[in-house]
């Protein structure tokens, strides 16, 4: 059974940093891309970033480019999202999701971790 | 960037109703479209991928169609557990984008 477990969320002041982790199990981790999707309170889904299975390719939404960095450690079956220069508008539940190889959609999701940016 | 619009944004329906949600892309995306269901406080769940392929384990009352710029998600007979918000997502090119969502509520 595929499982994705996010951690690292919490309260941080504007301008601060936070690192989210996504621990995966139940599939051949290095064969699949992993993405982060966020959802601000009461709002819709927003794609944030995706990393390829090897880690060699990364993609970012314009809203986080230059501030967030996605990476992965295939020896630990874990993906990270380093978030710097955080803003109030980054407040959201952050989900990690496994990317299907062929169609590219997200076929399994974690339960999410809440990031609150506030002074 | 490819923009997605969904209609309607809100839908009130009864158990047993046939429900159709439309997703339109600002440019052609072939069949690179997925549909997700999200219930309050829960993670999204994949329903349909490649515009019309039913994800394993999803009831057959859900179906998807379309290609290019216009897509539909149909629920043939709405069940109590189907009251939720539905999102489309394009995977044709980065940045990946989601539609704004359609909330299906009980009439």
């Amino acid at each position: 059974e595929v499982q994705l477990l996010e951690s690292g969320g919490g309260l941080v002041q504007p301008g601060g940093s936070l690192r989210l982790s996504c621990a995966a199990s139940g599939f051949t981790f290095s064969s699949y891309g992993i993405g982060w999707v966020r959802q601000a309170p009461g709002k819709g889904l927003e794609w944030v970033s995706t990393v390829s299975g090897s880690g060699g390719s990364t993609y970012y939404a314009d809203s986080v480019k230059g501030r967030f960095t996605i990476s992965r450690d295939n020896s630990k079956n874990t993906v990270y999202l380093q978030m710097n220069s955080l803003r109030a508008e980054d407040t959201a539940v952050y989900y990690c999701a496994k990317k299907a190889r062929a169609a590219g959609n997200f076929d399994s999701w974690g339960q999410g971790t809440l990031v609150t940016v506030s002074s | 960037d490819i923009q997605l619009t969904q209609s309607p944004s809100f839908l009130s329906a009864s158990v047993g109703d046939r429900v159709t949600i439309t997703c339109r892309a600002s440019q052609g995306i072939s069949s690179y479209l997925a549909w997700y269901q999200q219930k309050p406080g829960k993670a999204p769940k994949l329903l349909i991928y490649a515009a019309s392929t039913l994800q394993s384990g999803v009831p057959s009352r859900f179906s998807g169609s379309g290609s290019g710029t216009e897509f539909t998600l149909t629920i043939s007979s709405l069940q109590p557990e189907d009251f939720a918000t539905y999102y489309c997502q394009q995977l044709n090119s980065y940045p990946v984008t989601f539609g704004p969502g359609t909330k299906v509520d009980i009439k």
Side-chain angles (χ1 to χ4, degrees):
Chain A
E1 180 193 4
V2 173
Q3 290 195 328
L4 299 164
L5 185 63
E6 302 94 338
S7 60
L11 175 63
V12 62
Q13 292 188 337
S17 297
L18 213 54
R19 189 177 82 157
L20 305 183
S21 299
C22 171
S25 61
F27 61 101
T28 306
F29 184 69
S30 61
S31 294
Y32 292 88
I34 300 289
W36 289 95
V37 175
R38 68 185 180 184
Q39 187 168 38
K43 302 297 184 182
L45 302 173
E46 180 189 14
W47 171 77
V48 173
S49 183
T50 296
V51 62
S52 64
S54 67
S57 297
T58 57
Y59 308 88
Y60 299 94
D62 286 346
S63 58
V64 307
K65 201 173 294 182
R67 300 188 299 123
F68 290 13
T69 301
I70 192 170
S71 62
R72 64 191 296 158
D73 185 338
N74 285 346
S75 69
K76 296 182 178 179
N77 282 12
T78 301
V79 168
Y80 306 99
L81 187 68
Q82 177 67 43
M83 304 186 296
N84 300 331
S85 303
L86 282 162
R87 307 165 179 166
E89 54 265 35
D90 296 317
T91 294
V93 174
Y94 285 72
Y95 297 99
C96 67
K98 171 179 162 285
K99 182 173 173 289
R101 273 193 285 194
N105 50 271
F106 294 128
D107 58 9
S108 297
W109 296 64
Q111 86 292 343
T113 188
L114 177 62
V115 172
T116 303
V117 184
S118 174
S119 54
Chain B
D1 297 2
I2 297 174
Q3 310 301 321
L4 297 178
T5 58
Q6 287 183 235
S7 59
S9 54
F10 180 83
L11 188 159
S12 186
S14 300
V15 172
D17 283 354
R18 181 182 182 87
V19 165
T20 299
I21 299 168
T22 298
C23 177
R24 290 185 174 87
S26 59
Q27 63 191 76
I29 58 171
S30 186
S31 296
Y32 291 99
L33 188 103
W35 290 96
Y36 300 87
Q37 176 194 66
Q38 187 180 33
K39 297 180 180 179
K42 300 294 186 181
K45 173 188 173 184
L46 176 66
L47 299 176
I48 301 282
Y49 63 93
S52 60
T53 303
L54 193 67
Q55 172 70 352
S56 176
V58 173
S60 59
R61 63 181 179 273
F62 291 92
S63 64
S65 66
S67 67
T69 60
E70 187 156 333
F71 303 85
T72 58
L73 172 70
T74 299
I75 309 172
S76 60
S77 178
L78 199 65
Q79 298 302 300
E81 59 268 30
D82 301 337
F83 292 97
T85 300
Y86 294 84
Y87 296 92
C88 57
Q89 178 201 29
Q90 71 81 19
L91 307 125
N92 181 75
S93 61
Y94 286 103
V96 166
T97 46
F98 288 91
T102 295
K103 185 175 182 180
V104 178
D105 210 341
I106 303 172
K107 184 183 286 185

